[in-house]
Amino acid sequence: SSPHLVQVRERIRINGRPISKELFSKYFWLVYNRLEETKDPAHASMPAYFRFLTIMAFHVFLQEKVDLAVVEVGIGGAYDCTNIIRAPVVCGVSSLGIDHTSILGDTMEKIAWQKGGIFKPGVPAFTVAQPERPLEVLRDRAWERKCPLYLCPELDAFEGDHRALELGLAGTHQRSNAALALQLARTWLQRHGCQGLGEVKEVLPGAELAGRLVPLAPVFHPTDAMIQGLRDTEWLGRTQVLPRGAVTWYLDGAHTTSSIQACVRWFRQAALNQDNPHDGSEVRVLLFNATGDRDTAALLKLLLPCHFDYAVFCPNFTEVSVANNADQQNFNVTLENALTRCLENQRTWTQLLEEKGGQDPWLPAPLRARGLLQPAPTRGTLLLVPPAPRPLNSPALVFPCLAQALRWVAQGRDPRLAAPAPMGAHPHPAASSGAVLLQDAATIRVLVTGSLHLVGGVLRLLDPALSQ
């Protein structure tokens, strides 16, 4: 699977656990040296990062003799380097979203065509509820490739005998993922002659095709093992809540319009379900970054209903210097480029708030935000507040790295994070006022979203054990 959050070894797991550093090193050099020996002298270059790791993953699975390999495509499907598997046991296409448009196309139909590229002759495939046109594209791709395609029934259909299926992952969008997982697992087990798969529920004749583009997969009684699997599923960085005293971190790597919408629904519900302070002193902070060709203005607009008191933007670097953190180093993006993107996001957020109107009472009327502040010589802290013709109802700040951003947000209230430097390092009145609010708040709720790489960097700082 990709990307990884904290360590590259997360991409290649056996029995749910990232392979050891020893195994990773052993297979890395085996594959590297073999490719080096056999490469074409005329085109003497190694495979790119993702391709190399894909080749390495297949090599690990073969050498370690795994019984079952679950392979997630990197981008798209048709031309993805994972798509060299000629005869998988089963294929699945989860809920489609607009992403990687420069590679996959700028419509859901074009993206559906790419996703359908993983269908194989005679290999059953499953998908979940999709808009009508993209579903038609998937159906046509399946027909072209002589692939039997089925639509997963809603998870509700599996919840017979008044027994609700409990999911380890929060968010209503995970229900369609769970329904897909049940069908994929059962198909693999059937192919391998396993017994006790949970008998199929009775289906009325023709019901599976009634008014549908794609036939409905059978509904069956999930086995105890399946029920436990859904309940015990853990997936770091996806609808994850980390309570730390006064500060609660909400982590979700959503980075498309559909996944951000799901993230907002989850965050608002999760924040409601928490114990709210009696005096109402709750501060909400958005920590956001986005990468690639994503329309960040569209994503930020979707986040407005969460009513954040602050928006903090920073690159996906944990520290300004990433020399000691090779697993989270991105050679495709410079710090300057990343900061420019953050400044654009900051400007967009400010404009969205101005369009929305309204002011926070704590911000005095004569206050004016003047733009870029000079770094404090002692710490090199970079604090940016956008220029605005009038006071902002939610200050937007930019920091050059995650460590500085998290320290400012937590203000020493999270035991894992050091307190920020004295207020002199944040000389702007908006930042100073914010620090007072954060220090005095009974509860600070922080939503981290927009990028899985951002979430990974935050997890690395909040839970150092993940780096071991």
Side-chain angles (χ1 to χ4, degrees), residues 232-393:
D232 294 348
T233 299
E234 292 180 354
W235 202 13
L236 295 182
R238 282 79 170 181
T239 60
Q240 181 182 1
V241 182
L242 274 179
R244 294 282 179 77
V247 188
T248 304
W249 305 89
Y250 299 82
L251 310 172
D252 192 67
H255 50 271
T256 65
T257 51
S258 54
S259 60
I260 287 283
Q261 285 169 328
C263 172
V264 167
R265 287 194 298 271
W266 161 72
F267 173 72
R268 294 184 75 181
Q269 190 61 41
L272 271 178
N273 289 341
Q274 300 292 322
D275 292 333
N276 288 316
H278 298 301
D279 62 356
S281 60
E282 174 184 307
V283 175
R284 289 189 176 189
V285 181
L286 170 66
L287 179 56
F288 180 91
N289 193 36
T291 58
D293 54 10
R294 297 183 175 93
D295 182 353
T296 50
L299 302 184
L300 288 170
K301 191 169 186 177
L302 293 171
L303 289 159
L304 283 175
C306 294
H307 303 299
F308 293 106
D309 300 289
Y310 301 96
V312 174
F313 303 97
C314 74
N316 296 336
F317 307 128
T318 47
E319 305 282 353
V320 176
S321 167
V322 290
N324 299 322
N325 184 18
D327 279 5
Q328 290 181 311
Q329 197 160 354
N330 186 343
F331 292 99
N332 299 318
V333 180
T334 65
L335 177 60
E336 186 179 3
N337 289 344
L339 273 174
T340 301
R341 184 76 176 264
C342 292
L343 289 166
E344 289 167 0
N345 293 339
Q346 180 192 49
R347 217 168 11 250
T348 300
W349 183 255
T350 308
Q351 288 166 354
L352 287 168
L353 290 171
E354 288 177 347
E355 288 164 14
K356 187 181 166 196
Q359 299 177 9
D360 270 358
W362 64 267
L363 207 54
L367 180 62
R368 294 288 181 271
R370 294 293 180 198
L372 178 62
L373 292 173
Q374 296 304 311
T378 50
R379 288 178 70 240
T381 298
L382 179 67
L383 173 73
L384 302 149
V385 179
R390 53 184 175 71
L392 306 175
N393 68 331

Side-chain angles (χ1 to χ4, degrees), residues 420-434:
M423 196 49 66
H426 299 289
H428 198 282
S432 305
S433 304

Side-chain angles (χ1 to χ4, degrees), residues 10-350:
E10 297 166 31
R11 295 177 183 234
I12 307 173
R13 298 168 181 258
I14 297 180
N15 294 335
R17 299 185 64 81
I19 60 173
S20 67
K21 290 180 180 179
E22 292 73 24
L23 267 189
F24 186 92
S25 179
K26 169 187 165 183
Y27 287 122
F28 176 92
W29 288 113
L30 271 173
V31 172
Y32 185 94
N33 290 333
R34 182 64 57 86
L35 289 171
E36 187 68 37
E37 291 161 11
T38 57
K39 69 185 179 188
D40 179 354
H43 307 93
S45 64
M46 297 293 278
Y49 185 82
F50 182 82
R51 291 183 181 188
F52 182 94
L53 288 171
T54 303
I55 296 166
M56 182 176 154
F58 287 139
H59 187 67
V60 170
F61 295 151
L62 289 166
Q63 294 300 309
E64 294 295 311
K65 298 180 172 57
V66 300
D67 303 297
L68 157 67
V70 181
V71 179
E72 181 207 28
V73 300
I75 294 177
Y79 305 118
D80 193 81
C81 63
T82 58
N83 199 26
I84 61 168
I85 302 172
R86 294 178 186 174
V89 172
V90 61
C91 295
V93 176
S94 59
S95 185
L96 296 171
I98 298 285
D99 199 14
H100 302 295
T101 52
S102 59
I103 300 170
L104 304 181
D106 55 1
T107 67
M108 290 277 273
E109 290 80 4
K110 290 175 182 174
I111 289 169
W113 188 92
Q114 295 278 356
K115 300 287 185 182
I118 66 170
F119 296 157
K120 303 291 186 293
V123 174
F126 296 87
T127 190
V128 296
Q130 311 280 8
E132 187 173 339
R133 284 290 302 127
L135 187 59
E136 284 178 8
V137 174
L138 288 176
R139 178 201 61 188
D140 294 346
R141 287 286 268 162
W143 185 82
E144 278 170 28
R145 293 171 163 260
K146 299 180 174 56
C147 158
L149 175 66
Y150 302 94
L151 191 65
C152 295
E154 299 286 338
L155 196 61
D156 300 5
F158 294 86
E159 296 183 327
D161 310 322
H162 309 292
R163 180 176 59 173
L165 288 169
E166 187 185 335
L167 301 187
L169 301 177
T172 53
H173 58 291
Q174 296 295 355
R175 292 181 67 80
S176 78
N177 290 336
L180 179 60
L182 284 175
Q183 296 290 351
L184 297 176
R186 189 170 193 274
T187 304
W188 190 89
L189 291 165
Q190 274 181 316
R191 171 70 72 88
H192 286 77
C194 297
Q195 302 300 311
L197 296 183
E199 69 278 13
V200 173
K201 294 184 180 182
E202 193 174 336
V203 181
L204 296 172
E208 71 277 6
L209 265 174
R212 298 181 187 278
L213 289 166
V214 175
L216 209 56
V219 176
F220 55 90
H221 295 283
T223 64
D224 289 344
M226 290 174 180
I227 292 167
Q228 182 184 346
L230 293 177
R231 187 180 61 236
D232 294 348
T233 299
E234 292 180 354
W235 202 13
L236 295 182
R238 282 79 170 181
T239 60
Q240 181 182 1
V241 182
L242 274 179
R244 294 282 179 77
V247 188
T248 304
W249 305 89
Y250 299 82
L251 310 172
D252 192 67
H255 50 271
T256 65
T257 51
S258 54
S259 60
I260 287 283
Q261 285 169 328
C263 172
V264 167
R265 287 194 298 271
W266 161 72
F267 173 72
R268 294 184 75 181
Q269 190 61 41
L272 271 178
N273 289 341
Q274 300 292 322
D275 292 333
N276 288 316
H278 298 301
D279 62 356
S281 60
E282 174 184 307
V283 175
R284 289 189 176 189
V285 181
L286 170 66
L287 179 56
F288 180 91
N289 193 36
T291 58
D293 54 10
R294 297 183 175 93
D295 182 353
T296 50
L299 302 184
L300 288 170
K301 191 169 186 177
L302 293 171
L303 289 159
L304 283 175
C306 294
H307 303 299
F308 293 106
D309 300 289
Y310 301 96
V312 174
F313 303 97
C314 74
N316 296 336
F317 307 128
T318 47
E319 305 282 353
V320 176
S321 167
V322 290
N324 299 322
N325 184 18
D327 279 5
Q328 290 181 311
Q329 197 160 354
N330 186 343
F331 292 99
N332 299 318
V333 180
T334 65
L335 177 60
E336 186 179 3
N337 289 344
L339 273 174
T340 301
R341 184 76 176 264
C342 292
L343 289 166
E344 289 167 0
N345 293 339
Q346 180 192 49
R347 217 168 11 250
T348 300
W349 183 255
T350 308

